[in-house]
Amino acid sequence: MHTMAVTIAEHARRRKKVLQEIGRDALAVIASAPVTLRNNDVEYPYRPDSDFFYLTGFAEPEALLVLVPGRKQGQTVMFCRERDPELERWNGPRLGPEGVCRELAIDEAWCIDEVDDRLPELLSGRKRLYSLFGKDDELDRRLFGYVRKLRRKNRHGVVAPTEFFDLGQVVHRMRLIKSSAELRLMRRAARISARAHIAAMKKTCPGRMEYEIESELLRVFRSHQAETAYASIVGSGENSCVLHYTANRRQMQDGDLLLIDAGAETGYYAADITRTFPVNGRFSAAQRAVYHVVLNAQQAAIDQVRPGNPWDAPHRAAVREITKGLRQLGLLKGELKALIKSEACRKFFMHGTGHWLGMDVHDVGDYKVDGKWCRFVPGMTLTVEPGVYIPPGNRKIARKWWSIGIRIEDDVLVTEDGCEVLTRDVPKQIDEIEALVGSEADN
Ligand code: GLY
Ligand code: MN
Ligand code: MN
């Protein structure tokens, strides 16, 4: 287990909160993620479901948590894999039902094979069923199968659930506000990611391959017991304008920009950072001009992250600054107000300015409730990531702008009186970047 991991007591408090919220005649079921095959019999590295892990701290597959408010024998029940010395020799230790009760403060645990017999019993007499319906077809089918079975016993006095609720509405609202233990992990993910970006900048020079820079990022992640939170984007030249470029196989050329979007995951919490810099360590005049626009926009957006402001405030600020900047550079033509209103900058800035960040890189949590943008509250964490992308080939745009793709992305925590940039260790000012790029390209 990770040394900074969220404590068992905190996981237990989260379960208690869910038990209280769903109420006495309800029941909640949540499964961990399935094992996924990569090919033939080879599996992807296992990653538990974030909601499941959030409530349990349990990282084994084939597990199901059932929350049963008011149950006398215990309100928290887990189904998990049985111990198996032979298999454990191959695949590592399992907690087993006893271990789950002992180590994870679960009240009662059974073998996962017993779920078809035992879960209908737990469900019997409950009016409301909470689960993450629509996420796992197999679990949905099983749950509705149990409900059907119970309904057939109606005339014997058995009560089956009649109302079905999205457990996400309960758990995701909790996940949106990070605890201090969660913030410790997020700061750690940010710190490791910052080191990786700095190492990547130092290694970059013309002639090097994009994948060599990717390997530098991964080296730093793994050397700190972290993994990559998502496939790293290392896009040079025109690849900097391909938003989801992950092939990372081009040789970098003198005069290119390099856009790196990479983040570490540690203890199941992610960072998500983008930096863009010149491969040869010196911005061209055109690159510098666009970089200024994006940097200004990002700062303006970050300044909007404070308690009480609506979710779209940073995006609106970014759109205003990018529109203003691109108009000054002659890339947008027309009256500023009209350009902002018609979102003319979408031609160059076609994505949002950020997303919630946490256990999932695109974290859970509502953005709008009852038709209104959510407002920032201390403890929320999000990214701020405006960008401008000018792919080559458009003859209406002067050649000097071609292949300029720039995004600057930081991770931000909403505080009592504003915000804190968790990823501030990665330089983004032009002079800082120019001093760093290629400084260790020879080793
Ligand atoms: N790395 C994914 C994103 O920036 O949203
Ligand atoms: Mn992002
Ligand atoms: Mn990103």
Side-chain angles (χ1 to χ4, degrees):
M1 186 158 302
H2 206 283
T3 47
M4 279 182 149
V6 169
T7 61
I8 295 307
E10 182 165 338
H11 288 293
R13 281 199 297 277
R14 294 168 180 173
R15 292 193 294 271
K16 200 164 174 190
K17 187 150 188 224
V18 174
L19 283 160
Q20 277 164 358
E21 287 221 9
I22 65 177
R24 274 196 84 89
D25 45 9
L27 178 128
V29 179
I30 181 163
S32 194
V35 169
T36 317
L37 288 178
R38 186 167 186 272
N39 56 46
N40 199 353
D41 60 348
V42 173
E43 298 166 0
Y44 279 105
Y46 186 69
R47 163 71 160 74
D49 176 80
S50 297
D51 289 320
F52 178 83
F53 190 86
Y54 181 82
L55 294 175
T56 60
F58 189 43
E60 288 183 29
E62 296 182 76
L64 200 71
L65 173 71
V66 187
L67 298 176
V68 203
R71 181 171 176 266
K72 280 194 202 72
Q73 310 91 307
Q75 305 186 94
T76 60
V77 173
M78 181 95 84
F79 293 92
C80 67
R81 300 181 306 185
E82 206 56 272
R83 303 260 345 238
D84 182 332
E86 183 61 24
L87 278 176
E88 288 179 52
R89 256 173 76 90
W90 287 84
N91 302 321
R94 299 173 169 189
L95 274 184
E98 276 178 30
V100 157
C101 292
R102 190 179 61 238
E103 313 265 329
L104 302 176
I106 296 287
D107 294 323
E108 195 160 7
W110 293 301
C111 175
I112 187 77
D113 296 339
E114 296 181 37
V115 72
D116 286 339
D117 295 328
R118 296 202 180 260
L119 194 45
E121 277 172 34
L122 294 170
L123 202 51
S124 171
R126 302 274 154 176
K127 285 194 193 127
R128 298 189 306 280
L129 175 58
Y130 283 77
S131 194
L132 295 161
F133 296 111
K135 184 166 174 176
D136 176 344
D137 290 345
E138 169 61 19
L139 180 62
D140 290 356
R141 205 166 38 240
R142 274 172 181 255
L143 289 176
F144 287 121
Y146 303 147
V147 171
R148 203 176 312 127
K149 206 166 132 187
L150 290 176
R151 278 184 188 155
R152 279 194 217 114
K153 296 185 187 161
N154 260 353
R155 61 181 166 278
H156 305 294
V158 173
V159 173
T162 51
E163 294 179 275
F164 304 90
F165 290 88
D166 179 19
L167 184 60
Q169 283 295 306
V170 179
V171 178
H172 298 170
R173 215 177 301 140
M174 293 163 59
R175 279 177 58 189
L176 193 49
I177 310 291
K178 273 66 180 177
S179 70
S180 52
E182 291 183 286
L183 287 173
R184 267 201 301 282
L185 288 165
M186 292 200 62
R187 284 180 205 283
R188 183 175 149 83
R191 228 170 19 241
I192 296 168
S193 309
R195 285 193 187 204
H197 274 263
I198 291 169
M201 281 184 194
K202 289 181 174 173
K203 283 274 176 201
T204 299
C205 65
R208 197 146 267 173
M209 306 301 291
E210 292 166 346
Y211 54 75
E212 293 180 81
I213 302 306
E214 180 185 10
S215 79
E216 192 62 10
L217 298 162
L218 298 178
R219 180 187 66 75
V220 177
F221 294 168
R222 288 307 289 144
S223 68
H224 292 91
Q225 208 194 339
E227 33 248 311
T228 194
Y230 53 91
S232 308
I233 296 171
V234 183
S236 63
E238 64 185 278
N239 294 337
S240 65
C241 304
V242 180
L243 293 180
H244 291 160
Y245 176 78
T246 53
N248 304 347
R249 61 174 159 229
R250 181 177 172 273
Q251 186 176 43
M252 300 182 287
Q253 307 295 320
D254 197 5
D256 285 347
L257 283 176
L258 179 63
L259 183 153
I260 298 181
D261 184 343
E265 177 182 300
T266 183
Y268 305 115
Y269 285 81
D272 182 7
I273 304 179
T274 307
R275 288 293 184 267
T276 312
F277 52 89
V279 163
N280 64 13
R282 197 79 195 135
F283 283 93
S284 73
Q287 290 167 352
R288 186 179 301 255
V290 179
Y291 192 88
H292 264 303
V293 172
V294 179
L295 189 60
N296 272 344
Q298 203 223 14
Q299 193 52 56
I302 290 173
D303 291 344
Q304 291 298 319
V305 181
R306 55 170 176 265
N309 264 10
W311 167 260
D312 69 333
H315 183 63
R316 288 162 66 99
V319 164
R320 198 178 318 116
E321 289 307 313
I322 284 177
T323 309
K324 223 193 290 178
L326 294 183
R327 187 171 166 272
Q328 268 163 11
L329 297 180
L331 284 160
L332 290 174
K333 292 186 181 68
E335 202 232 332
L336 181 62
K337 252 191 175 165
L339 288 172
I340 290 173
K341 190 152 183 244
S342 66
E343 291 187 49
C345 74
R346 283 199 76 83
K347 201 161 83 177
F348 302 108
F349 172 31
M350 59 292 284
H351 56 74
T353 297
H355 47 81
W356 301 128
L357 179 74
M359 299 186 81
D360 300 339
V361 64
H362 294 165
D363 210 24
V364 293
D366 286 326
Y367 291 92
K368 240 180 195 180
V369 172
D370 297 332
K372 288 207 189 97
W373 290 112
C374 290
R375 288 184 183 275
F376 294 126
V377 171
M380 290 174 164
T381 45
L382 61 145
T383 67
V384 180
E385 50 176 309
V388 167
Y389 313 90
I390 314 172
N394 185 343
R395 300 202 178 280
K396 287 188 206 146
I397 296 175
R399 250 174 206 276
K400 65 174 178 181
W401 305 117
W402 289 12
S403 299
I404 293 183
I406 295 173
R407 176 166 65 255
I408 307 172
E409 175 175 29
D410 280 300
D411 303 343
V412 170
L413 162 69
V414 184
T415 58
E416 292 298 329
D417 53 1
C419 71
E420 178 193 334
V421 180
L422 301 174
T423 48
R424 60 182 172 273
D425 292 349
V426 206
K428 58 184 172 186
Q429 301 304 324
I430 285 182
D431 53 344
E432 296 172 319
I433 286 179
E434 290 190 336
L436 213 53
V437 173
S439 58
E440 286 179 15
D442 305 332
N443 331 343

